[in-house]
Amino acid sequence: MSPAPYRGCGFKREFISDEIITTPISSSMQDPNSCIIFYSCPNLSHLDDTTCLTSFPSTAIKDRFTPEEKRILDNTCFFNWTTSSSSSELLETSSETKRLKRTTSFPVSLENLSITPLYFNYNKNSGNNQSNHIVRDHIRSCSQVYRAAEAVEEAAQDIINNSEEQEEDGCDGMRLVQLLISCAEAVACRDKSHASILLSDLKSSALVFGSSFQRVASCYVQGLSERLSSIQPCLGPVPAMQPMMNIMDAASEKMEEAFRLVYEICPHIRFGHFVANSAIVEAFEGESFVHVVDLGMSLGLPHGHQWRGLIQSLANRAGARVRRLRITAVGLCIGRLRVIGDELSVYANNMGINFEFSVVQKNLENLKAEDVKKEEDEVLVVNSILQLHCVVKESRGALNSVLQMIHGLSPKVLVMVEQDSSHNGPFFLGRFMESLHYYSAIFDSLDVMLPKYDTKRAKMEQFYFAEEIKNIVSCEGPHRMERHERVDQWRRRMSRAGFQGSPIKMVAQAKQWLVKNNVCDGYTVVEEKGCLVLGWKSKPIVAASCWKC
């Protein structure tokens, strides 16, 4: 009988980590209650691609599973049940390379994982706290693997379902999905020869003017090609990275043009500006001296679109007029920001608003609270549009320092708009599938908004979204700046930094905004735990949230 198809985790069991205490490898492993916790490392060159698997051979723990669950575990090879083994036998096993063999319900496998065992001893009465923490870390890592596997399966299944109906130019959508995922696996395994063959096949099928999935696949082919080309021995010192706040700081003219088209045609950023301005106007209600600190100055969009809208709202508000509006732009492209400031100054004067503009030429990681000039009689808000994800690094220290800096400014509100997707997971294949699912939805929306051979769409896809995709897929370390995360993860990060959520209750106004701006059918707005999420056919795209100190 063949093994049952793998369907996510299949079940969930929680164990009390205090019951499991580590012992040295040299200790005797004759105890029938001994535990083995396995960890697996894919054959990759990056630390953030490390995965973990856990095995509990202890009879006491094994008995907590049902017979069906034990059968699933045995079939998927996640767990090996043993009651006793000598230390020499276990050490001999650890020196061999094993492969996970499992039947999957979609064309994704983790057969590139090699298993190395670590040895633990079951001892309920032990009080070794340090060992307890080690085991808890392994258990948390194991749960991350489970969640990543489930996310990969869900994304793959959705992509396959969406692609089964797409068959153009003789290219079967289902086959294209399988090729793309197989190529990602080969790249993850550092199998250059096999990956090169698959890439060659993909290049003939992933068309820039094809179906929505063919077009998004063409962007991923570029990313996989770049990642594959980087798999080679280091021949010298790695060149220093140019200081940037986001990928737009080093944008070419074509990328800047594509970004302007994205702003004009896609509702994502304009929706974020609308929600952010509404929250800022509410925070400024009844105030005469107001100050906005803009992190990244909306990615350097020309003309200061967001702030023109805010100036107009403040000029038209009922009651006392604003006596002074100050905007502090944070960014590295000081020339571009000063041009925006000059245009805004003229616009504000025409609206009868006393306006002041200043620039802090620093990236977020080096920004200090004292760099922002704050006066006692003014109300300050902080605005971040698609910006904070760029400082989410592996160490998390960069984001923490930025959030502490913002907290030190004591803003009345922090308004944040971010891509609502999990593109910063520790597992390459998980990131790949999550991003493929996300950008497939965006390309699908572009299919509805623009004709097939529209050059505007090709510019947006190939010179803007493709750059984001390549950064997610091919880059690692400080070069990977597109580290998008979900709302729930941001909520946890903000809470740890001392911020409290301020619910945005304007779903009706947001839906009216979609109608007023002729946003095509398929886009939806929902409230999720106080955040407003703009999505395409139930797939979240961007989320807007507000936070108070």
Side-chain angles (χ1 to χ4, degrees):
M1 178 182 292
S2 61
Y6 172 67
R7 301 295 302 176
C9 300
F11 53 85
K12 178 180 179 181
R13 279 285 187 269
E14 294 184 358
F15 299 98
I16 302 174
S17 58
D18 291 342
E19 296 179 352
I20 309 169
I21 307 301
T22 62
T23 59
I25 292 179
S26 58
S27 300
S28 172
M29 298 297 294
Q30 296 292 340
D31 184 358
N33 282 328
S34 62
C35 279
I36 303 176
I37 291 187
F38 290 95
Y39 71 90
S40 286
C41 298
N43 300 319
L44 303 175
S45 60
H46 306 296
L47 292 177
D48 66 344
D49 288 319
T50 302
T51 61
C52 297
L53 300 174
T54 306
S55 175
F56 294 100
S58 167
T59 303
I61 296 178
K62 175 183 173 182
D63 290 342
R64 302 185 193 183
F65 291 103
T66 66
E68 176 63 16
E69 291 172 349
K70 295 175 188 174
R71 183 186 66 79
I72 293 174
L73 291 173
D74 290 336
N75 285 340
T76 58
C77 295
F78 270 144
F79 289 70
N80 280 330
W81 304 119
T82 59
T83 56
S84 63
S85 299
S86 66
S87 178
S88 60
E89 289 174 344
L90 289 171
L91 287 172
E92 183 178 353
T93 303
S94 68
S95 64
E96 299 175 354
T97 300
K98 295 185 177 181
R99 291 186 177 274
L100 289 174
K101 297 180 180 179
R102 55 182 196 167
T103 302
T104 60
S105 56
F106 57 93
V108 175
S109 68
L110 297 179
E111 294 184 353
N112 57 309
L113 302 182
S114 59
I115 302 177
T116 305
L118 298 178
Y119 306 105
F120 294 80
N121 186 43
Y122 178 82
N123 187 345
K124 184 174 182 179
N125 298 321
S126 175
N128 191 332
N129 291 329
Q130 182 179 2
S131 298
N132 289 349
H133 290 309
I134 294 174
V135 176
R136 288 193 191 99
D137 289 341
H138 279 280
I139 293 175
R140 279 194 292 267
S141 298
C142 179
S143 66
Q144 288 178 0
V145 170
Y146 286 163
R147 288 194 295 269
E150 289 176 335
V152 169
E153 179 178 10
E154 291 174 3
Q157 193 60 55
D158 286 344
I159 293 168
I160 290 172
N161 292 339
N162 293 335
S163 302
E164 284 176 344
E165 300 178 358
Q166 299 178 3
E167 187 170 346
E168 296 188 20
D169 301 323
C171 177
D172 181 10
M174 177 66 175
R175 176 178 173 272
L176 184 57
V177 173
Q178 292 175 332
L179 274 176
L180 196 59
I181 297 175
S182 297
C183 184
E185 289 185 290
V187 172
C189 295
R190 302 168 64 88
D191 188 344
K192 298 188 73 170
S193 59
H194 184 47
S196 298
I197 294 172
L198 293 172
L199 280 172
S200 178
D201 197 357
L202 279 166
K203 288 176 181 177
S204 63
S205 302
L207 308 176
V208 175
F209 287 100
S211 65
S212 62
F213 192 77
Q214 287 175 324
R215 300 196 313 273
V216 77
S218 71
C219 300
Y220 278 88
V221 168
Q222 298 173 43
L224 290 172
S225 297
E226 290 189 7
R227 187 178 182 97
L228 188 64
S229 64
S230 67
I231 301 176
Q232 57 186 1
C234 184
L235 302 178
V238 178
M241 181 180 176
Q242 176 185 355
M244 291 193 299
M245 284 185 61
N246 51 68
I247 61 174
M248 292 304 297
D249 281 342
S252 62
E253 291 184 4
K254 289 184 177 180
M255 189 175 178
E256 290 181 355
E257 180 188 0
F259 187 48
R260 288 195 291 270
L261 291 172
V262 169
Y263 182 81
E264 294 169 2
I265 296 172
C266 299
H268 315 154
I269 304 174
R270 288 182 290 126
F271 171 81
H273 285 176
F274 164 73
V275 177
N277 281 354
S278 299
I280 293 172
V281 169
E282 182 179 344
F284 285 164
E285 186 175 357
E287 302 293 342
S288 299
F289 300 94
V290 294
H291 186 181
V292 177
V293 177
D294 189 8
L295 307 182
M297 198 63 182
S298 301
L299 294 172
L301 275 167
H303 313 306
H305 296 293
Q306 178 180 3
W307 305 126
R308 288 171 180 261
L310 178 66
I311 290 170
Q312 186 176 20
S313 297
L314 292 176
N316 296 333
R317 80 177 187 181
R321 293 177 63 85
V322 171
R323 296 175 60 184
R324 185 187 67 221
L325 167 64
R326 297 177 61 213
I327 294 181
T328 298
V330 179
L332 299 176
C333 303
I334 189 169
R336 179 190 300 172
L337 296 179
R338 291 201 183 281
V339 170
I340 295 174
D342 292 341
E343 292 183 3
L344 290 177
S345 181
V346 173
Y347 186 80
N349 289 334
N350 292 336
M351 288 286 181
I353 297 289
N354 182 18
F355 179 77
E356 295 180 11
F357 185 85
S358 60
V359 177
V360 178
Q361 190 178 13
K362 283 190 175 182
N363 60 23
L364 291 186
E365 296 179 44
N366 297 326
L367 186 65
K368 306 296 181 184
E370 52 267 27
D371 294 327
V372 178
K373 296 179 181 179
K374 180 182 177 183
E375 299 184 7
E376 294 182 0
D377 59 346
E378 67 184 12
V379 174
L380 182 143
V381 302
V382 176
N383 180 77
S384 176
I385 307 294
L386 309 183
Q387 192 63 52
L388 285 177
H389 70 264
C390 297
V391 290
V392 179
K393 306 295 174 63
E394 285 89 348
S395 64
R396 301 183 182 179
L399 178 64
N400 290 339
S401 64
V402 172
L403 293 179
Q404 290 172 10
M405 179 275 301
I406 296 173
H407 202 280
L409 292 172
S410 300
K412 187 171 183 179
V413 67
L414 162 63
V415 184
M416 183 173 69
V417 177
E418 287 291 345
Q419 293 91 338
D420 188 16
S421 193
S422 181
H423 301 159
N424 192 40
F427 316 109
F428 167 69
L429 285 178
R431 290 200 311 270
F432 178 89
M433 292 304 305
E434 281 278 358
S435 64
L436 183 59
H437 194 197
Y438 177 83
Y439 286 101
S440 293
I442 291 179
F443 279 50
D444 184 45
S445 70
L446 293 174
D447 231 12
V448 176
M449 291 187 287
L450 295 170
K452 180 176 181 180
Y453 294 103
D454 196 309
T455 56
K456 292 181 180 179
R457 186 177 69 180
K459 288 179 180 179
M460 288 188 291
E461 293 174 346
Q462 296 298 317
F463 297 119
Y464 180 71
F465 291 118
E467 292 301 319
E468 287 190 346
I469 290 170
K470 287 189 289 185
N471 189 266
I472 294 169
V473 173
S474 66
C475 297
E476 293 295 345
H479 294 276
R480 181 156 60 88
M481 305 186 73
E482 298 301 316
R483 295 173 175 268
H484 313 144
E485 295 188 331
R486 294 195 181 279
V487 168
D488 287 341
Q489 180 65 21
W490 279 111
R491 189 176 288 110
R492 288 189 289 269
R493 292 187 183 279
M494 300 302 288
S495 178
R496 287 195 295 265
F499 289 90
Q500 294 180 342
S502 178
I504 303 176
K505 299 180 180 180
M506 50 178 294
V507 175
Q509 297 94 311
K511 291 181 178 179
Q512 291 175 2
W513 180 89
L514 293 180
V515 175
K516 182 179 178 180
N517 287 270
N518 298 317
V519 177
C520 69
D521 293 338
Y523 275 102
T524 58
V525 178
V526 297
E527 181 182 351
E528 183 179 324
K529 298 179 182 179
C531 304
L532 281 188
V533 181
L534 176 72
W536 172 257
K537 295 181 178 179
S538 76
K539 175 63 180 176
I541 302 297
V542 295
S545 57
C546 287
W547 306 90
K548 294 183 178 181
C549 295

